[in-house]
Amino acid sequence: MPGPLSIPFFSIAPQHEPLREQVLAAVARVYDSAWYVLGDEVVAFEQEYAAFNRVPHAVGVANGLDALALALRALGVGPGDEVLVPSNTYIATWLAVMHVGARPVPVEPDPATSNLDPARLAGAITPRTRAIMPVHLYGQACRMPEIMQVAQQYGLHVVEDNAQAQGAAFGGQLTGSFGALNATSFYPGKNLGALGDAGGLTTADAGLAAQVRALRNYGSARKYHNDFIGYNSRLDELQAAVLRVKLGHLQAWTAQRQQLAAWYGQHLAGIAGLRLPAVAPGATHVYHLYVVHTPRRDALQQHLAARGIGTLIHYPVPPHRQPAYAGLGWAAGALPIAEDLAATCLSLPLWPGMTEEQVAAVAAAIRQF
Ligand SMILES: *Cc1c(COP(=O)(O)O)cnc(C)c1O
């Protein structure tokens, strides 16, 4: 039955419609400049994103996966090395490790927050471990001070995967500013999204910034002089120009996401069997996704779909159970927290511009379940 409601999982229109003239003017500016790769727009966006993230340097690249892989490459992580990754992350975190020839070693999360559990790190460290890649999953900052302390104790690099958490913080310090070199994604559906693929890195280290700038551009700091075995992973001028317009609104959009999450918290309170997102003391959450957990997840998703309410599952299969990683030898049941979270998680509709009435309608439909 098509119900009276129709609430999509996500809508970009409320963010994009008010910016239409500004974004199209930015596109026209690049069109008329006749300069499309690594020009003034990328330089300006890098400066503006670095300022937003309160770090000295930002580097634009082609996408978030490349940003993660370039960070590992610049830090010298490669074949024979191990990198600690969350067992319940998006596949890109693991892929980046494998793309540099290293081995992803999964660490189980704190089931309450779905974020890396710092207490489990030490047990996964071997003489081959080179780095830790915390992922600020769903938009909540990981417990970075504890993670940094373990990294320091064992002499490991930290590369944050900040694709979902631009503007989140722990203890007042922004995500993307803790690790040596940190990656983010400007995929269109992220909290700060381009009109296509785009990504970036943030760092306090001028040498590492220069190195990833060279790596993204054929390993070349000077045209036709190649210092490293590089890549072609450049941020387009067009995407940089669009991102500059949208960056100015990110804080307001984040505030809206947080307001929507607060409304969900009020309207969903006290429903038996439904676990709402928990935020760790000291952390902020920018709600890239609003994820609830229930053992009857599939039935709830169908119930909501029948009422015209869109939901998604982030993510239905943990990386170690993906056919692509069968070669790593992880059996079913090997990482039970990740497997349980994957079986019970459901992402509810949330986008800047969504109304409290829509949140209440989603919550009412869940209450009927
Ligand atoms: C989106 C995402 C990425 C990858 O970003 P792309 O730009 O799509 O390559 C990496 N890690 C996480 C956690 C993500 O959500």
Side-chain angles (χ1 to χ4, degrees):
M1 62 148 215
L5 303 168
S6 186
I7 301 178
F9 174 71
F10 181 74
S11 171
I12 197 77
Q15 288 173 79
H16 276 183
E17 271 162 20
L19 301 183
R20 184 182 174 82
E21 298 308 319
Q22 266 178 286
V23 167
L24 293 183
V27 168
R29 186 173 73 232
V30 174
Y31 189 84
D32 291 337
S33 77
W35 191 280
Y36 305 117
V37 172
L38 296 187
D40 295 345
E41 299 288 346
V42 167
V43 170
F45 174 66
E46 287 178 344
Q47 287 168 357
E48 289 157 14
Y49 190 73
F52 170 85
N53 212 74
R54 294 187 225 136
V55 288
H57 309 281
V59 179
V61 295
N63 56 66
L65 171 59
D66 282 4
L68 290 163
L70 292 181
L72 293 170
R73 266 290 304 275
L75 292 167
V77 177
D81 294 340
E82 294 176 356
V83 178
L84 304 190
V85 293
S87 59
N88 61 323
T89 182
Y90 179 58
I91 198 69
T93 320
W94 286 46
L95 265 180
V97 175
M98 299 189 76
H99 282 179
V100 300
R103 180 181 174 82
V105 173
V107 176
E108 290 267 67
D110 174 352
T113 62
S114 295
N115 266 344
L116 205 55
D117 183 350
R120 293 175 181 268
L121 289 169
I125 292 170
T126 76
R128 292 176 179 272
T129 310
R130 292 288 171 272
I132 307 172
M133 295 179 90
V135 180
H136 308 295
L137 202 66
Y138 306 145
Q140 177 171 187
C142 290
R143 287 153 58 189
M144 288 310 298
E146 291 163 85
I147 294 170
M148 296 309 294
Q149 202 181 347
V150 174
Q152 202 162 22
Q153 188 181 340
Y154 290 89
L156 307 176
H157 299 297
V158 171
V159 174
E160 294 169 68
D161 180 339
N162 198 29
Q164 302 189 354
Q166 296 128 353
F170 194 101
Q173 185 178 342
L174 289 173
T175 57
S177 72
F178 290 89
L181 198 48
N182 308 301
T184 195
S185 166
F186 305 117
Y187 178 80
K190 298 289 157 74
N191 286 24
L192 176 61
L195 303 184
D197 277 309
L201 295 111
T202 48
T203 180
D205 186 315
L208 288 173
Q211 218 177 320
V212 286
R213 279 207 175 87
L215 281 172
R216 74 175 170 188
N217 189 27
Y218 292 106
S220 165
R222 201 154 48 102
K223 207 171 171 80
Y224 307 130
H225 294 262
N226 303 88
D227 306 312
F228 310 99
I229 309 289
Y231 299 78
N232 177 352
S233 181
R234 300 177 295 223
L235 175 62
D236 288 333
E237 286 285 283
L238 271 173
Q239 299 300 351
V242 171
L243 285 166
R244 292 181 67 195
V245 174
K246 295 184 69 176
L247 179 60
H249 301 268
L250 180 56
Q251 236 160 8
W253 290 331
T254 298
Q256 289 186 49
R257 288 175 180 277
Q258 290 168 333
Q259 174 65 74
L260 291 161
W263 283 331
Y264 267 127
Q266 291 160 17
H267 288 278
L268 292 172
I271 298 181
L274 189 77
R275 190 159 65 75
L276 305 185
V279 182
T284 69
H285 198 319
V286 297
Y287 294 98
H288 173 59
L289 296 169
Y290 188 89
V291 180
V292 298
H293 288 84
T294 169
R296 298 170 66 207
R297 190 268 313 278
D298 292 343
L300 176 60
Q301 185 174 39
Q302 283 159 22
H303 167 88
L304 293 175
R307 282 152 186 80
I309 297 171
T311 57
L312 287 175
I313 296 170
H314 298 93
Y315 299 93
V317 181
H320 73 286
R321 297 303 297 151
Q322 298 285 356
Y325 297 117
L328 292 174
W330 293 94
L335 297 165
I337 298 177
E339 291 169 39
D340 181 63
L341 291 173
T344 59
C345 65
L346 188 67
S347 306
L348 302 182
L350 189 151
W351 66 90
M354 190 184 183
T355 65
E356 185 175 10
E357 286 66 34
Q358 287 173 313
V359 169
V362 173
I366 292 173
R367 237 172 241 289
Q368 285 169 9
F369 175 62

